[in-house]
Amino acid sequence: MRKFLMISTALALFSGIAHADVIEDRKAIMKDIGKSVGVMGAMMKGEAPFDSAKAIDALKTIQASADKYDPVALFPEGSDKGGDTEAAPAIWQNMEDFTAHVNKFREDAAKAATATPQDLDQLKPVFQQVAANCSACHEIYRIKK
């Protein structure tokens, strides 16, 4: 019985560590996306001058990050606990819908990465589509802290 308890405790600790790792992975991806959205958002608000190269780089970074954002790998059962996470329980309650949101984001990010905006008027619709995905998903699947 004691051996069973030790093994159970070790597995629980390992599970917590593994979940903390996956939580950090998904936070790092979201941080990269957030930085890129911030670069373009500052241009859109007039807080930074429009820079085509920076906008294109931000769009490509978002697309590369979206490619890494795998709901199955990044949101395994139980990873709503064991670390500092803003992931809402709704993710695990409706993984199919969450995955659909992620897939839409991936598709729009891939399309956006092909854009080569040369001014704000060209950046605006691309930025709005990417940002709309973020807002739609965060509204349902993110806990604001």
Side-chain angles (χ1 to χ4, degrees):
M1 180 66 166
R2 187 171 201 198
K3 194 177 210 180
F4 174 77
L5 185 59
M6 287 174 50
I7 292 170
S8 295
T9 303
L11 287 174
L13 288 172
F14 176 74
S15 176
I17 292 168
H19 288 162
D21 288 348
V22 78
I23 290 168
E24 291 306 313
D25 290 346
R26 64 189 186 221
K27 285 170 60 175
I29 293 168
M30 291 305 291
K31 190 173 188 174
D32 288 343
I33 292 169
K35 283 181 187 176
S36 294
V37 168
V39 166
M40 292 184 294
M43 290 181 204
M44 298 301 298
K45 294 177 191 173
E47 296 169 356
F50 175 79
D51 183 319
S52 181
K54 286 182 180 179
I56 291 168
D57 184 55
L59 292 167
K60 289 183 185 300
T61 298
I62 290 171
Q63 190 258 329
S65 296
D67 285 348
K68 295 179 208 171
Y69 209 74
D70 177 359
V72 174
L74 293 174
F75 294 88
E77 196 67 40
S79 67
D80 55 332
K81 298 167 187 66
D84 182 27
T85 182
E86 294 178 6
I91 291 171
W92 293 271
Q93 295 163 359
N94 196 352
M95 184 58 79
E96 188 175 319
D97 184 62
F98 176 68
T99 300
H101 275 81
V102 171
N103 288 339
K104 170 108 171 62
F105 172 62
R106 285 174 155 179
E107 290 170 17
D108 289 345
K111 190 184 327 178
T114 66
T116 55
Q118 298 303 307
D119 58 34
L120 283 176
D121 289 335
Q122 291 178 355
L123 178 60
K124 185 176 182 176
V126 177
F127 174 78
Q128 287 175 334
Q129 185 61 52
V130 170
N133 280 293
C134 298
S135 297
C137 197
H138 286 183
E139 187 176 307
I140 302 168
Y141 297 114
R142 179 180 178 209
I143 298 170
K144 294 180 183 170
K145 291 188 175 190

